[in-house]
Amino acid sequence: MAESTDMSLLQEAFRKFSIHGDTKATGKELNGKNWAKLCKDCKIIDGKSVTSTDVDIVFSKVKAKTARVITFEEFKKALVELGPKRFKGKSEEEAVSSIYKLIEGKEPANVGVTKITKKGGVDRLTDASKYTGSHKERFDKSGKGKGKGGREDLVENTGYVSSYKNAGTYDEKLQEK
């Protein structure tokens, strides 16, 4: 029973890494870049007994000759290849189960992803309430952009000059006389 649970966790980790960074991925095939990321994130690559070169060689060895991806079955074969190399001194079964434990339940880490900064000049430059001139007209009071209406000069063909304050009061002045 524990073996099937381990396989489902392993398969879930395989699926998460296979769709990482690829919007068209189905989760059934793992490419070389994501295979290397899986090995790095799950600490299979330790820099001494297993290096990134070893991981690439194993990937090339288990995939089909013309293929660029590996399936879950080929993934398991690759782990069987890496297990004894990573865990020297253990039997092959213990090494493979140890390598499964490193991967189970893991997902891709987003270390090194650029975060939004609000330091120094960036805060002032991105605060729409501090804009002046024509740029001020592109945003409403809450700071949300007005879209096309804020980028184009919308001309009113009323016959009055654009900045004339008493537009539409001519008829009222005639009636007063």
Side-chain angles (χ1 to χ4, degrees), residues 22-176:
D22 187 5
T23 56
K24 295 177 183 136
T26 60
K28 295 183 171 135
E29 296 173 327
L30 186 68
N31 62 23
K33 178 180 69 87
N34 288 353
W35 160 252
K37 180 166 180 56
L38 180 142
C39 291
K40 185 177 174 206
D41 288 356
C42 296
K43 300 196 177 16
I44 294 171
I45 296 176
D46 61 355
K48 294 176 186 146
S49 57
V50 177
T51 63
S52 59
T53 306
D54 296 325
V55 167
D56 291 338
I57 291 170
V58 168
F59 182 82
S60 296
K61 198 184 289 186
V62 297
K63 73 177 179 64
K65 198 162 197 109
T66 57
R68 298 175 145 237
V69 292
I70 59 173
T71 62
F72 184 67
E73 294 305 316
E74 292 168 332
F75 170 72
K76 288 195 294 187
K77 287 178 192 171
L79 295 179
V80 169
E81 291 252 347
L82 284 177
K85 191 167 178 66
R86 173 69 166 84
F87 296 100
K88 290 182 176 158
K90 289 188 175 183
S91 69
E92 188 174 327
E93 292 81 26
E94 288 175 328
V96 170
S97 99
S98 296
I99 213 160
Y100 283 179
K101 292 209 182 334
L102 287 176
I103 297 171
E104 288 170 0
K106 296 279 175 53
E107 54 187 55
N110 288 329
V111 176
V113 175
T114 307
K115 292 183 176 58
I116 298 171
T117 181
K118 288 287 187 178
K119 293 181 181 172
V122 177
D123 194 28
R124 288 192 315 272
L125 291 171
T126 57
D127 187 2
S129 67
K130 295 179 182 166
Y131 290 171
T132 59
S134 62
H135 300 293
K136 179 171 61 174
E137 303 302 321
R138 295 180 58 198
F139 301 91
D140 62 10
K141 297 217 185 292
S142 68
K144 184 171 168 57
K146 291 182 182 176
K148 190 174 183 180
R151 291 190 303 274
E152 292 182 351
D153 290 334
L154 302 176
V155 179
E156 296 176 12
N157 292 323
T158 60
Y160 289 96
V161 177
S162 63
S163 60
Y164 182 62
K165 303 259 188 282
N166 297 321
T169 60
Y170 181 73
D171 292 332
E172 293 173 9
K173 288 183 182 177
L174 280 178
Q175 289 175 355
E176 287 176 11

